Amino acid sequence: MRVVVTGGSGRLGQSVVRGLCEAGHDVTSIDREGVAGLPGTQLQADLTDADATRTLFIAIAPEAVVHLAAISVPFSAPEATILNVNTALAFSVVDAAVASGARLVLAASSPTVLGYGNPKGWAPRFLPLDETHPVEPWNAYALSKQVIENVIERFVRNSDNVTFGVFRPCFVIPPEEWAGAPTQQGHTVADRLDDPSLAAVSLFNYLDARDAAEFVRVWLERAELAPNGSVFFVGAADALAREPLAELVPRYLPEASGLAAGLTGTSPAFSSAKARELLGWEPRYSWRTELVQEATEARTEPDPSSLPTEVRVS
């Protein structure tokens, strides 16, 4: 298929573009800047400009659109900026996708819509978490992701012959971060394993970017097997933790102590059962096999020059 991927230069986007190209799709990545060596076609554009975006999409005439573009780190810009940019991107891109004749539209949301990490307190209603759990976003990033889901719902109600979907990828880890490159929080994957408090706020969720790319590929091929507008959690089959969550959750999230007893062994807090049952997608990668040994032995602080210094929309 001819596939447009917005935000194809980002941490998740690069893996998605590569995965779709390897699967034989004709991929056009649209972002504010390009990436050397990325396969497919790369275009630079401001996707918040709705009229220009519609014109560009009509010229490309994609059969499918995968919308990843966003300010991707909470609190990396003023709250109003994050909300305005992310929601404008979503409506502009989905509207352009429909206008251009695309028959498949998949948008990235986030598990943060559930509301975890709220400084005023948050506890899950049940564990493991699935798509039926209520959403309670408390910051602009999470709210923007909820709005993206609402945008998809709006277009499902008003569009004919288009299949829509939403996926909530867990904490994305691209291949270079297994070797010790800093994550978007500045610390490394090994740091998150060594200090459980770093991953506790998100209930130790994670996802290899290549598994995310595989989910996108599978959804594009099997979207019609799920109800239109379906939302999917997409996460690894295990938790990003060396101890069972039955022990870690009571320690770091005492409000959920009574819910975690079943999270024994390597069981994660987020369930991807819906993606498995409806689409046949299964995660393949685990930190237990992918984390480079040297990275686990490096115990240095991240280089300040490697941390984000400006807002990146991708």
Side-chain angles (χ1 to χ4, degrees), residues 23-309:
H25 296 291
D26 177 4
V27 181
T28 298
S29 167
I30 305 177
D31 209 323
R32 284 195 162 186
E33 58 186 54
V35 174
L38 194 67
T41 301
Q42 296 188 66
L43 300 177
Q44 283 75 56
D46 178 4
L47 295 172
T48 62
D49 184 331
D51 291 338
T53 300
R54 180 182 277 224
T55 299
L56 178 60
F57 276 45
I58 289 173
I60 298 171
E63 296 167 82
V65 173
V66 180
H67 176 53
L68 309 177
I71 297 176
S72 57
V73 181
F75 305 110
S76 61
E79 290 284 86
T81 299
I82 292 175
L83 182 62
N84 292 337
V85 169
N86 287 358
T87 55
L89 282 168
F91 195 90
S92 173
V93 167
V94 178
D95 179 69
V98 173
S100 67
R103 61 182 180 84
L104 295 166
V105 179
L106 178 66
S109 179
S110 166
T112 61
V113 296
L114 299 190
Y116 56 72
N118 190 332
K120 290 189 175 181
W122 178 86
R125 306 290 203 280
F126 51 81
L127 289 172
L129 297 157
D130 64 25
E131 296 82 358
T132 66
H133 195 284
V135 297
E136 300 173 341
W138 65 272
N139 58 57
Y141 174 80
L143 180 59
S144 75
K145 292 299 186 176
Q146 182 186 18
V147 172
I148 289 171
E149 296 186 8
N150 295 152
V151 167
I152 292 296
E153 291 173 358
R154 181 268 187 195
F155 278 92
V156 168
R157 289 190 292 268
N158 292 281
S159 304
D160 296 323
N161 303 317
V162 184
T163 300
F164 298 89
V166 173
F167 73 118
R168 297 169 176 171
C170 289
F171 184 78
V172 173
I173 302 176
E176 64 270 16
E177 292 179 10
W178 294 124
T183 68
Q184 61 185 12
Q185 273 71 34
H187 51 253
T188 67
V189 177
D191 291 333
R192 290 176 81 86
L193 288 164
D194 292 341
D195 181 359
S197 67
L198 296 174
V201 66
S202 55
L203 283 82
F204 308 94
N205 77 59
Y206 80 103
L207 174 69
D208 188 289
R210 293 164 294 183
D211 277 332
E214 179 66 3
F215 172 84
V216 172
R217 183 194 66 78
V218 168
W219 186 88
L220 291 178
E221 295 177 1
R222 306 174 187 173
E224 294 182 359
L225 297 178
N228 203 355
S230 290
V231 177
F232 297 93
F233 275 123
V234 180
D238 58 353
L240 190 66
R242 292 192 172 101
E243 300 175 67
L245 297 197
E247 300 173 16
L248 289 175
V249 169
R251 191 183 314 163
Y252 292 98
L253 194 67
E255 302 93 330
S257 295
L259 303 174
L263 300 179
T264 57
T266 63
S267 297
F270 288 80
S271 171
S272 299
K274 182 177 178 180
R276 180 178 66 252
E277 293 165 3
L278 294 184
L279 303 176
W281 173 82
E282 294 271 10
R284 294 182 296 165
Y285 297 96
S286 166
W287 69 265
R288 291 171 169 80
T289 56
E290 299 306 307
L291 187 64
V292 176
Q293 181 61 32
E294 289 79 1
T296 69
E297 296 170 353
R299 299 292 183 261
T300 58
E301 292 296 318
D303 180 353
S305 65
S306 69
L307 303 184
T309 58

